[in-house]
Amino acid sequence: MSLVVYGAAGVFALSCVVLFRRPGSPVLGTLTVSTCAAILLGALVLVCSAPPTLAAVNDLTGVVNFGAPLTYGMLSAYSCALLVLLVNWRGGPRSRIRRRVLASMAAYALLIAVLVALFTLADAPDERLTDLDTYYANTPFMREMILLYLAGHSAATLVMCAVCVKWGREVTGLLRTGLRLILAGSLLDLVGFQLAKYTAVVARWYGHDVDFLSTTLAPPMASLGALVCSAGFVLPRLLPAAVAQWRGLGDYRRLGPLWALLRFAPTSPKPPASWWRSPRERLQWREVSIHDALLALAPYFDDRVREREREAALRAGRTAHQARLAAEAAMLTDAARRAAAHEEPPADPSTYRLRATQVSGPGALVELARTLGRSPAGAPAREGTVRAAHGWTLAEDEETHVP
């Protein structure tokens, strides 16, 4: 059981790291900080509730069952963090958000203080690592502490369910999916953890023993509910960025044929290589470098090559757009060959502008790269360009070292 709890805590922490490192997000944004705070507190609750952790805390502090108020306090702080996250996520006037956040924090800070006070007043000499709630269900002050932490957690859960149901009617898309996940996780926690705990404790009051509900059923249900709930908070914020990164990686790869043709041309200095650079960052650098190379090759553009290829494409039954792309690919291939071989530019310089330099975003560059990749002359031209560029580099080096 402890492995399950620790595993869930690890998933919590990993999701927090991924969210905090999400490219393009304000690292210290209020929503990011509140999301990470809620997830980290949830992970701490799971870690603190595991029997090995409880035993270690008790031994370290020298106070029998000290892990109980620590865990209950963490759970109360987690409940408060969820409410704060909901308030920040819902948005609204800054003054209203501030009032609600401060009210939630004050209420749960008072709750934690009362929990600690009740534990101090209680007499709980026997260490209980798995069944403390039911073992001390009839013990003065411990009984009140147990009921109070459950009530505080239930209040936050019910508020979350109500907000999710109400807000879910007003939104669509990923936000609605996230709210449904939060609602599902909250219901799992409410039924699988809280109701099980209440039932086991009340049964003890009347002399019955259904401790398995508290010791066997409640912990995994709490872990599952917390994970589903955290997925609801993270998904609407993380999935769009993940999709954008995936598309960026695809565009980066699709620009390969175009970059292979132009990489010999002078471009902006490449940024230092870093393994953590995102696909979007790599794509942006490749876009900038390709545009620089296209600008450098512009004097070698030959309108005759472009017009000849365009007319051939139209005769072959291609659309005007396809013919234009084929013509531009042929002209660009010819220009790259001329530049790499150090030939003279055409006597009549072209003023033509490539479509890829007139349209923002990588879409037009990707279309041009695809056309180059499908062109029968594309591969030989690229190989010739690389060989010519390599020979040109060697020749320059030899000239540099001539005494």
Side-chain angles (χ1 to χ4, degrees):
M1 189 64 67
S2 297
L3 290 178
V4 174
V5 174
Y6 285 138
V11 174
F12 259 105
L14 181 60
S15 64
C16 180
V17 171
V18 172
L19 179 64
F20 201 71
R21 182 59 182 89
R22 180 170 67 95
S25 66
V27 176
L28 295 179
T30 302
L31 192 54
T32 300
V33 171
S34 57
T35 304
C36 291
I39 293 175
L40 285 178
L41 284 171
L44 287 174
V45 171
L46 294 175
V47 170
C48 290
S49 64
T53 305
L54 292 173
V57 169
N58 295 340
D59 291 340
L60 184 64
T61 59
V63 179
V64 179
N65 295 318
F66 184 82
L70 176 63
T71 302
Y72 299 159
M74 285 289 182
L75 182 60
S76 300
Y78 171 62
S79 301
C80 178
L82 291 178
L83 292 179
V84 170
L85 178 53
L86 272 180
V87 170
N88 285 320
W89 200 13
R90 184 66 187 269
R94 188 179 297 273
S95 58
R96 185 177 66 185
I97 293 175
R98 181 179 176 82
R99 284 197 307 270
R100 291 181 176 179
V101 168
L102 291 178
S104 300
M105 295 177 67
Y108 278 90
L110 179 60
L111 174 62
I112 293 171
V114 174
L115 291 176
V116 174
L118 289 172
F119 177 77
T120 304
L121 296 173
D123 182 19
D126 299 328
E127 184 179 53
R128 312 302 298 184
L129 301 179
T130 59
D131 62 346
L132 184 139
D133 290 345
T134 51
Y135 186 83
Y136 288 111
N138 292 305
T139 301
F141 300 112
M142 288 294 286
R143 174 182 59 232
E144 287 76 11
M145 182 185 73
I146 294 166
L147 286 177
L148 193 58
Y149 97 79
L150 286 173
H153 188 48
S154 297
T157 305
L158 291 173
V159 170
M160 286 180 58
C161 290
V163 171
C164 289
V165 170
K166 181 180 178 181
W167 193 11
R169 298 169 182 163
E170 306 171 4
V171 297
T172 58
L174 277 178
L175 187 53
R176 174 179 286 183
T177 302
L179 290 172
R180 288 176 177 175
L181 285 174
I182 296 170
L183 180 61
S186 300
L187 291 176
L188 280 172
D189 186 276
L190 188 64
V191 176
F193 174 75
Q194 298 170 39
L195 185 58
K197 288 282 188 180
Y198 283 125
T199 303
V201 170
V202 173
R204 277 284 186 163
W205 293 351
Y206 292 95
H208 302 290
D209 184 353
V210 288
D211 289 6
F212 74 94
L213 293 175
S214 177
T215 58
T216 304
L217 177 64
M221 292 299 291
S223 301
L224 179 60
L227 287 175
V228 174
C229 192
S230 67
F233 282 115
V234 171
L235 182 67
R237 307 200 61 230
L238 196 59
L239 188 58
V243 171
Q245 294 298 328
W246 180 257
R247 290 175 179 170
L249 179 61
D251 287 341
Y252 179 85
R253 290 174 174 174
R254 283 187 284 271
L255 287 176
L258 182 57
W259 178 235
L261 180 70
L262 304 175
R263 63 190 309 167
F264 76 94
T267 62
S268 300
K270 184 177 180 179
S274 300
W275 64 268
W276 63 80
R277 289 192 182 277
S278 69
R280 294 282 297 176
E281 291 173 326
R282 296 175 187 274
L283 173 63
Q284 289 172 0
W285 173 82
R286 178 161 284 190
E287 282 186 73
V288 171
S289 298
I290 288 175
H291 279 292
D292 288 346
L294 291 176
L295 185 63
L297 292 181
Y300 292 91
F301 288 170
D302 192 336
D303 288 332
R304 294 171 299 176
V305 174
R306 178 175 56 80
E307 288 297 333
R308 188 165 55 244
E309 183 64 26
R310 178 177 173 276
E311 292 174 2
L314 289 174
R315 286 196 301 270
R318 296 187 184 181
T319 65
H321 180 67
Q322 292 172 338
R324 178 179 180 178
L325 287 175
E328 290 182 350
M331 183 178 66
L332 184 59
T333 301
D334 177 74
R337 180 190 59 78
R338 287 173 178 268
H342 289 278
E343 296 182 7
E344 290 294 326
D348 187 13
S350 173
T351 59
Y352 182 81
R353 291 186 62 191
L354 296 173
R355 177 176 177 272
T357 62
Q358 297 174 303
V359 179
S360 60
L365 290 176
V366 169
E367 280 188 316
L368 183 59
R370 283 175 173 171
T371 304
L372 282 169
R374 290 192 297 263
S375 174
R382 284 193 297 274
E383 292 175 3
T385 300
V386 171
R387 285 197 298 269
H390 181 63
W392 170 72
T393 304
L394 290 178
E396 270 202 345
D397 290 344
E398 290 174 1
E399 291 177 2
T400 302
H401 290 91
V402 171

